[in-house]
Amino acid sequence: MSVRLLLSLTLLFCLTFSTLGTAADTTPKRELNAAETEHALQLLAEELTKNLDAIHTWQGTCLFQNQVRLADPRITKDSNWQTTQGQYTFWLDEIHDRLRVNYHKTRKPDEFNLLTPQTPIKVVHPTNTQWIVQGLDVWELGEDRFGSVKGFPEGILIPGSKGRVLFRKLRVDSEHKSLFFDPRELTGNGSHTFARTCRMYADALSGKPGTEENSKVTKRVMITELTPDSNHRQYLVKIDYNSPEIEAAPIRSETTFDSRFGFNAIKYEQFRGSRLIHKRTFLYNQVGDIFLPHEVDIVRFSSRLADQTEIDLRQNFKLVESKLNQPLDTNLFEIKSLELKPGERIVDQIRGKAFVQYEGRLVPASQFPLLIK
């Protein structure tokens, strides 16, 4: 190949690459002013709330994969990643604000063949858990695990200390655990649903009593409107937060809402200064007029300055079965559906009381030793 031909091909490649790069940035966009920003937030809050309110009951199955990068590679022989795969089966009664979730850990996927779909198989594992959520209260039952005996009188020996323990606790205490699952939270950033976030800032900008001062919020929220075509609109919502850490770089979130999916979010990113630390991407299925998250991919990046591009955590949720607004078996939300066995313990952390399952009924822990003598 001649030098002249080689130079010609090189120039053609550079021009083509430059043209493609320029074409990717031609989407019409504009920054919204304060009034337009308030209007856009109101629109997003209304559309997202309407989508959630249309869900009266929801039952389905969600596959879950969790990959954690271990700080010490010596913990594992072949990799410094720990992989867990699980399956959630859930029943949501939105009208009565109650939820039932069964979680089963499944076999570790073949790390050398991740592209091939693998059918989860239930295995016995300590992390298998069931939840019944009623408003702000949660009943949590873990299988074959050591449970706290807090609340049981001193000197009482419950036969089989290794066994299931049913805990009643505030929902916020269960949410701190990485395994807790609520399908509604697939439409959020891990802290709040996007509907709640948009409503909160829309109310603040409108000067609604009890919200943040209007001038402060105006400086913290910016929206860019993108219009790829006449029937397609996106809002890129940027929110600045004060870092909880003294002298730390400020935190900023950027969320892209898309009209093709009922203005649901398709991407969420969180930055500390200029560093990306948290990213979520969303895919949707439309069922009637309702948009459901079909797949959510979550990535959290290392907080260590030396590893700015290292991934510490990757999670994937994939909805494989879903039914909307169909009757649910109300027994699913009853404690008896957990089928406690004789001698298994119950710890009510909200009321500070403890019970033992005995002959089909719950007996206060203080009375249990007298019954089994």
Side-chain angles (χ1 to χ4, degrees):
M1 182 181 292
S2 67
V3 175
R4 180 177 296 178
L5 178 58
L6 182 61
L7 290 174
S8 299
L9 290 175
T10 303
L11 178 61
L12 179 61
F13 173 79
C14 292
L15 290 174
T16 303
F17 181 81
S18 176
T19 302
L20 290 175
T22 303
D25 298 326
T26 58
T27 300
K29 62 181 69 175
R30 68 185 185 91
E31 302 295 328
L32 302 188
N33 60 36
E36 292 172 325
T37 295
E38 179 185 341
H39 175 75
L41 287 171
Q42 293 283 3
L43 170 66
L44 291 173
E46 290 172 4
E47 291 295 323
L48 297 176
T49 301
K50 180 177 69 174
N51 189 70
L52 292 177
D53 287 349
I55 300 175
H56 301 152
T57 66
W58 184 9
Q59 54 186 309
T61 301
C62 183
L63 301 184
F64 167 69
Q65 189 174 90
N66 188 74
Q67 294 176 302
V68 180
R69 187 166 72 95
L70 302 176
D72 186 354
R74 293 173 298 178
I75 294 178
T76 57
K77 295 180 180 180
D78 303 320
S79 173
N80 63 343
W81 283 90
Q82 184 180 70
T83 303
T84 303
Q85 184 167 302
Q87 176 175 297
Y88 293 101
T89 306
F90 64 88
W91 298 263
L92 171 66
D93 181 355
E94 182 67 26
I95 296 176
H96 300 96
D97 193 16
R98 54 190 183 180
L99 170 70
R100 168 69 178 267
V101 179
N102 295 346
Y103 170 78
H104 297 298
K105 181 175 178 179
T106 54
R107 295 190 186 280
K108 182 178 179 180
D110 181 356
E111 296 181 350
F112 300 99
N113 191 21
L114 292 177
L115 298 179
T116 302
Q118 300 176 49
T119 303
I121 303 173
K122 180 180 176 181
V123 295
V124 177
H125 192 276
T127 58
N128 290 348
T129 308
Q130 300 176 73
W131 294 274
I132 294 178
V133 184
Q134 299 171 336
L136 298 178
D137 293 1
V138 174
W139 292 93
E140 178 182 299
L141 179 65
E143 296 183 4
D144 298 328
R145 53 172 281 185
F146 285 96
S148 170
V149 294
K150 182 179 179 181
F152 286 82
E154 287 288 337
I156 293 183
L157 177 62
I158 306 300
S161 60
K162 183 179 179 181
R164 299 194 307 174
V165 180
L166 174 62
F167 293 94
R168 182 192 182 199
K169 57 182 71 174
L170 293 175
R171 174 177 174 135
V172 66
D173 294 328
S174 285
E175 288 177 334
H176 290 160
K177 295 186 175 182
S178 60
L179 287 180
F180 181 79
F181 175 79
D182 185 331
R184 294 168 291 191
E185 294 179 357
L186 293 178
T187 61
N189 60 14
S191 299
H192 306 296
T193 64
F194 293 120
R196 179 181 174 184
T197 300
C198 291
R199 173 59 63 194
M200 179 176 65
Y201 281 97
D203 288 346
L205 286 174
S206 68
K208 184 177 180 179
T211 60
E212 297 182 60
E213 190 177 325
N214 185 27
S215 60
K216 293 182 179 179
V217 175
T218 302
K219 297 177 182 178
R220 292 168 57 179
V221 183
M222 295 183 297
I223 298 181
T224 301
E225 182 185 61
L226 300 92
T227 50
D229 56 61
S230 59
N231 297 318
H232 181 195
R233 187 171 17 145
Q234 293 180 336
Y235 288 119
L236 174 59
V237 180
K238 303 177 183 178
I239 302 177
D240 291 325
Y241 302 91
N242 294 325
S243 175
E245 302 175 13
I246 301 176
E247 299 182 355
I251 296 175
R252 181 182 79 260
S253 70
E254 297 186 3
T255 311
T256 303
F257 299 92
D258 198 309
S259 64
R260 295 173 299 174
F261 309 105
F263 285 103
N264 277 279
I266 59 172
K267 183 170 68 173
Y268 170 84
E269 294 179 315
Q270 189 179 70
F271 299 84
R272 183 182 293 277
S274 60
R275 292 177 53 198
L276 177 62
I277 59 175
H278 178 190
K279 181 177 180 179
R280 293 177 181 235
T281 54
F282 305 83
L283 299 176
Y284 295 92
N285 282 338
Q286 186 172 3
V287 182
D289 295 328
I290 301 173
F291 289 93
L292 294 178
H294 164 65
E295 185 170 0
V296 180
D297 193 66
I298 303 170
V299 178
R300 293 186 184 272
F301 294 87
S302 174
S303 59
R304 295 177 291 278
L305 292 177
D307 299 327
Q308 294 189 14
T309 59
E310 285 281 0
I311 295 175
D312 272 351
L313 173 70
R314 181 184 292 277
Q315 294 179 318
N316 179 268
F317 296 86
K318 184 176 294 184
L319 199 65
V320 295
E321 182 181 6
S322 189
K323 298 178 182 178
L324 287 178
N325 301 333
Q326 297 187 14
L328 300 178
D329 182 358
T330 57
N331 290 324
L332 288 168
F333 308 102
E334 301 291 336
I335 303 303
K336 62 183 180 181
S337 68
L338 298 174
E339 299 180 346
L340 292 178
K341 301 174 183 177
E344 292 186 328
R345 293 164 289 176
I346 300 173
V347 178
D348 188 335
Q349 296 181 343
I350 297 178
R351 295 187 300 167
K353 296 185 177 181
F355 304 87
V356 180
Q357 180 75 9
Y358 179 74
E359 294 186 347
R361 58 193 176 97
L362 299 180
V363 176
S366 58
Q367 300 178 14
F368 184 67
L370 302 176
L371 296 173
I372 61 176
K373 286 182 177 180

